[in-house]
Amino acid sequence: MKAANTLLANTGTTIFTVMSALATHHQAINLGQGFPDTDGPADVVAAAAAALQDGRNQYPPLTGVPELRAAVAAANSRFYGLAIDPNTEVVVTSGATEAITASLMALIDPGDEVVLIEPLYDTYLPVVTMLGGVGKLVRLEPPHWTLPRAALEAAFGPRTKAIVLNSPMNPIGKVFTPEELGFIAGLMQKHDTYAVCDEVYEHLVFDGVRHRPLMTLPGMRERTLRIGSAGKTFSLTGWKVGYISGPAALMSVVAKAHQNLTFTTAPNLQRAVALGLAKDDAYFAGLADDLQAKRDHLVAGLQGAGFRTLPSGGSYFVLADYSALDPDGDDASFCIRLAEAAGVAAIPLSAFYVAEKPRHHVRFAFCKRISVLDEAIGRLTRYFAAHQASDRAALTAAE
């Protein structure tokens, strides 16, 4: 028989699936996959349940129910001062992953180049490739993750159609600075390109820093597709409700891509998310404060267990350098050992790079209850204390 799609057939099982399966098999605490372990706001959940009973369960409008499109436009204005037309400049999607795909479909022709910044979310490059595009990778390096301006400038050229920008950034928690955003905007204008901005962690920013969308910079309004996620904003990742804001000329094409992917999204969930986006400022501030406290709690525990943690300015994640605990092992093997022997699942940073992969860094998710984080910290602390005691005993015996 003829072969199936080569790219997909040759794509292995994701590390997220592997580590989640290991966590289940070994009853490990799953700090690998980024999902909260409690439901989101009760009023938002109740609104979704009530909406199932109101007799509007058939196909909603392709671009989203009017209530949610209006709420997305209002949130853009409220948080960022962006004037968005809810009728022509918003498309609701079945999750942010579909939003990313639809946005890239709307922009890329075969042969177009798309600038991607590593470490990168694992759907970006495969989608670009399946669309016939060419990914141009620019690499950020630990521990400071500074934007390499010369390398980024070299990645732009006459065939560049777009850049994919994720801020706050998964997996490293980087929030791009206004200066970095300005440099990116300058390159986009110079090379007449677009941006697909994955901003699903927009409200999960810490330490008094405010998220600034690239779309708010001069000259970027007509060049940017901005993606948000109810899953991250309301701790309801299973709902898979995303939304794209952008200029009408592009959004009409995004809508056509969306039509050919999922066509629409569950109407009851959309109406509940509309209620959520209208919640008062205290909710959004409290969400960030709660996660910041959990980040700090996990960081302190990881440091006590022997890890060196890297700064995380946003998202669900913190990276930890384990070189003092295991100077020789690769990060994938280290994560497998953690799940099997220590009872805690993490994700290797190498999973977010394509070519040369960094060593000795793993990603932990802190979007869990404090009691769960405490149990994970306790397991890691006991495991490495026992491991080090075993090493000392072996060294003494050898002497």
Side-chain angles (χ1 to χ4, degrees):
M1 296 178 67
K2 292 181 179 178
N5 177 271
T6 303
L7 175 65
L8 294 177
N10 291 333
T11 299
T13 303
T14 71
I15 191 64
F16 309 101
T17 300
V18 170
M19 295 311 303
S20 292
L22 275 176
T24 300
H25 181 71
H26 294 283
Q27 296 185 315
I29 296 173
N30 191 350
L31 300 188
Q33 198 166 6
F35 60 88
D37 58 359
T38 56
D39 268 352
D43 57 345
V44 176
V45 175
L52 282 171
Q53 303 294 328
D54 69 4
R56 292 185 289 172
N57 289 299
Q58 306 311 318
Y59 293 126
L62 180 152
T63 56
V65 299
E67 301 98 311
L68 181 51
R69 285 186 279 115
V72 170
N76 271 297
S77 175
R78 170 186 173 189
F79 293 111
Y80 310 119
L82 288 166
I84 300 292
D85 186 334
N87 297 314
T88 62
E89 296 187 319
V90 177
V91 171
V92 178
T93 60
S94 294
T97 300
E98 193 228 323
I100 293 162
T101 302
S103 296
L104 290 169
M105 287 176 66
L107 294 175
I108 298 174
D109 285 317
D112 286 342
E113 294 179 351
V114 179
V115 177
L116 305 170
I117 299 176
E118 293 183 293
L120 74 171
Y121 181 55
D122 64 344
T123 196
Y124 297 163
L125 183 58
V127 170
V128 169
T129 303
M130 284 191 290
L131 293 171
V134 178
K136 303 291 287 186
L137 300 175
V138 176
R139 182 186 183 91
L140 303 186
E141 298 284 358
H144 302 298
W145 312 110
T146 305
L147 186 70
R149 300 192 178 198
L152 184 65
E153 187 168 15
F156 278 77
R159 295 173 61 189
T160 305
K161 178 63 76 69
I163 180 172
V164 177
L165 182 66
N166 178 207
S167 181
M169 193 173 180
N170 175 15
I172 61 177
K174 176 182 174 65
V175 178
F176 283 81
T177 67
E179 293 76 19
E180 290 173 328
L181 293 175
F183 184 76
I184 292 169
L187 290 175
M188 289 172 56
Q189 291 178 310
K190 177 180 177 180
H191 294 278
D192 187 23
T193 64
Y194 299 100
V196 175
C197 292
D198 179 352
E199 301 180 18
V200 298
Y201 298 104
E202 61 184 318
H203 295 295
L204 312 184
V205 182
F206 314 132
D207 306 315
V209 176
R210 286 184 59 84
H211 170 64
R212 185 176 185 185
L214 181 68
M215 185 183 277
T216 62
L217 273 64
M220 293 295 102
R221 175 67 172 80
E222 299 305 312
R223 296 184 176 275
T224 304
L225 297 172
R226 197 179 88 78
I227 296 168
S229 166
K232 301 303 190 295
T233 298
F234 301 108
S235 302
L236 296 163
T237 58
W239 281 20
K240 299 298 291 179
V241 178
Y243 24 87
I244 311 168
S245 305
L250 291 182
M251 294 305 293
S252 64
V253 188
V254 169
K256 294 173 184 177
H258 171 58
Q259 176 181 351
N260 286 286
L261 288 169
T262 62
F263 178 70
T264 192
T265 299
N268 68 309
L269 300 182
Q270 291 192 55
R271 294 200 292 277
V273 172
L275 181 148
L277 286 174
K279 290 175 78 68
D280 60 25
D281 290 349
Y283 168 76
F284 296 94
L287 178 67
D289 289 345
D290 177 66
L291 280 168
Q292 180 177 324
K294 291 177 177 179
R295 177 203 64 178
D296 294 344
H297 193 80
L298 180 60
V299 163
L302 291 173
Q303 291 174 350
F307 291 89
R308 182 174 67 85
T309 58
L310 280 67
S312 173
S315 80
Y316 282 159
F317 309 111
V318 64
L319 286 180
D321 181 339
Y322 64 85
S323 54
L325 298 167
D326 184 0
D328 300 319
D330 70 271
D331 60 357
S333 298
F334 181 81
C335 285
I336 291 170
R337 180 157 60 91
L338 280 190
E340 293 177 342
V344 178
I347 297 292
L349 178 60
S350 61
F352 299 88
Y353 284 82
V354 176
E356 181 185 354
K357 301 178 186 296
R359 292 171 54 83
H360 300 129
H361 294 88
V362 296
R363 188 192 80 174
F364 290 98
F366 49 79
C367 50
K368 312 292 181 181
R369 289 166 292 161
I370 290 291
S371 60
V372 173
L373 297 178
D374 278 338
E375 177 60 24
I377 291 165
R379 292 184 184 189
L380 291 170
T381 302
R382 291 190 294 272
Y383 173 75
F384 286 111
H387 187 67
Q388 290 167 351
S390 177
D391 287 346
R392 287 194 296 270
L395 183 62
T396 301
E399 291 174 349

